[in-house]
Amino acid sequence: MLTIAVSKGRIYEEALPFLADAGIMPVDDPKTCRKLILQTTREDVQLVIIRATDVPTFVEYGAADLGIAGKDVLLEHGAESLYEPLDLNIACCRLMTAVPKDAPPPQGRLRVATKYVKTAQRYFADRGIQAEIIKLYGSMELAPLVGLADCIVDLVDTGNTLRANNLEPRDLIMNVSSRLVVNKAAMKMKNQAIATLLEQFETTLAQR
Ligand code: PRT
Ligand code: MG
């Protein structure tokens, strides 16, 4: 049995065609069904539906053999313990700093609100910028508007969320896409099955 960890938000939608091309169609729709383990049209493959940020953890511990996760999540988690054989080039966006429009340069130590604490710490430290990182779990855009932070580090796609909150993107930290990750032990123990799946995913990628 192969277990694949996916989150049910935007990555799931874009991952479905890859899975389908490998003959993997979930029997239930995670949007309407509350099951967390989904059987698929392939008897030897099941999906586990989890939070995007939990995907590296499940795969690292071998609770899932494979997973699909954003590079943002992998970098923040520290994914040295995982193989990352494929860039699926889906759920693409940018991790950026953003600031209020027309804000004066902040005085003293920069306050940064983000859920990407480690990534932000590393980014500012590499540039020799003294930054106080304030961990938030959501609605980062609000922080500069209410004086909690001078800037935010968050994902940007269309830029609509920033615009709607009178913020503007400043510096690109990295381009983000979703990656296929594989548990290291599973790569050895289930090599045949995983190699076949990787080939199928590669074919799908090449056809795009
Ligand atoms: O469970 P949880 O809420 O933590 O995760 P989720 O349900 O959001 O997970 P899911 O499956 O949707 O996947 C999240 C992953 O999608 C991220 O880790 C990224 O790798 C990827 N992704 C791609 C994005 C975006 N684009 C994106 N635009 N994740 C979030 N956003 C948010 C962003 O945080 C901001 O609030 O969309 C807003 C910005 O979008 P624009 O278009 O207004 O710029
Ligand atoms: Mg979400």
Side-chain angles (χ1 to χ4, degrees), residues 6-14 50-54 68-74 90-94 115-116 137 139-141 154-163 176-178:
V6 286
S7 52
K8 72 175 168 187
R10 66 189 86 209
I11 290 178
Y12 181 79
E13 293 300 325
E14 293 191 51
I50 55 182
R51 293 290 295 260
T53 42
D54 289 334
I68 299 176
K71 187 67 187 173
D72 52 322
V73 165
L74 293 172
I90 57 171
C92 297
C93 58
R94 287 153 291 149
K115 69 174 173 187
Y116 300 99
Y137 293 87
S139 304
M140 263 72 72
E141 300 83 9
D154 197 10
L155 300 173
V156 182
D157 180 16
T158 60
N160 288 340
T161 307
L162 292 181
R163 265 190 298 277
V176 169
S177 57
S178 289

Side-chain angles (χ1 to χ4, degrees), residues 46-151:
Q46 63 182 10
L47 305 182
V48 289
I49 307 297
I50 55 182
R51 293 290 295 260
T53 42
D54 289 334
V55 170
T57 307
F58 274 69
V59 177
E60 185 180 336
Y61 284 93
D65 302 301
L66 303 110
I68 299 176
K71 187 67 187 173
D72 52 322
V73 165
L74 293 172
L75 199 70
E76 184 67 17
H77 176 89
E80 305 77 34
S81 53
L82 305 173
Y83 288 125
E84 189 189 306
L86 272 187
D87 182 347
L88 299 177
N89 213 12
I90 57 171
C92 297
C93 58
R94 287 153 291 149
L95 186 68
M96 302 198 70
T97 65
V99 293
K101 277 202 184 102
D102 315 314
Q107 303 293 311
R109 198 174 155 99
L110 187 70
R111 284 195 301 172
V112 183
T114 187
K115 69 174 173 187
Y116 300 99
V117 171
K118 288 189 206 151
T119 307
Q121 246 150 13
R122 214 175 303 128
Y123 175 79
F124 289 106
D126 285 351
R127 275 153 196 80
I129 298 168
Q130 286 258 17
E132 180 180 350
I133 311 293
I134 301 168
K135 164 93 187 184
L136 292 180
Y137 293 87
S139 304
M140 263 72 72
E141 300 83 9
L142 183 60
L145 307 180
V146 295
L148 178 60
D150 304 302
C151 85

